[in-house]
Amino acid sequence: LGQGLLFWQALNGEVKRLTLVSKGVAQILGAMPADRKPVPWVRLGVFLFETLPRNFLMGLAATRWQVALEGAKIVAPLISRRTVWLDAPSLGRILRAEHRQAPLAELPGVLDGASGFY
């Protein structure tokens, strides 16, 4: 994560994303405009983590957060314990499944040697 700073992004008062921003962006965010109105942000930094969509896997997921697609390459070295490698038949099952999801019972051996929540 080098020289970047982490920024919690809230939408409608709810924290939705963790983003990586530069020191320059942090300085702009901390500055007070002459008219004292908050600066409207359309896009801020690279999304590293984001919350799962509302009502998706409610009560089933161990956490309501997921790695954001655009930040996956940045955080990959930090999340290696939560990585699951799939063999070709298991990957094929998932790609053919509705919503690209399959129960672990249908993927024998994919968690062998894995640690973390499952």
Side-chain angles (χ1 to χ4, degrees):
L1 297 170
Q3 298 294 315
L5 301 171
L6 298 177
F7 178 82
W8 292 100
Q9 185 180 24
L11 302 171
N12 300 323
E14 241 181 278
V15 175
K16 294 289 187 179
R17 295 184 184 103
L18 178 63
T19 62
L20 179 65
V21 299
S22 68
K23 289 181 180 180
V25 170
Q27 290 173 338
I28 292 171
L29 184 66
M32 180 59 70
D35 61 5
R36 300 249 184 242
K37 294 181 181 177
V39 177
W41 292 97
V42 175
R43 176 68 187 207
L44 182 65
V46 176
F47 300 155
L48 299 179
F49 295 93
E50 59 193 2
T51 57
L52 291 173
R54 187 178 305 277
N55 297 327
F56 180 69
L57 296 176
M58 292 298 290
L60 299 174
T63 178
R64 298 297 308 151
W65 289 89
Q66 65 183 356
V67 175
L69 182 60
E70 72 181 78
K73 191 170 186 173
I74 295 170
V75 298
L78 305 172
I79 60 166
S80 62
R81 289 182 30 199
R82 296 292 302 260
T83 303
V84 176
W85 294 96
L86 299 172
D87 58 17
S90 295
L91 178 61
R93 258 186 233 109
I94 291 174
L95 292 175
R96 287 188 300 276
E98 184 179 6
H99 306 298
R100 306 283 192 267
Q101 300 174 38
L104 286 175
E106 294 179 13
L107 305 169
V110 297
L111 294 179
D112 292 349
S115 63
F117 299 105
Y118 49 86

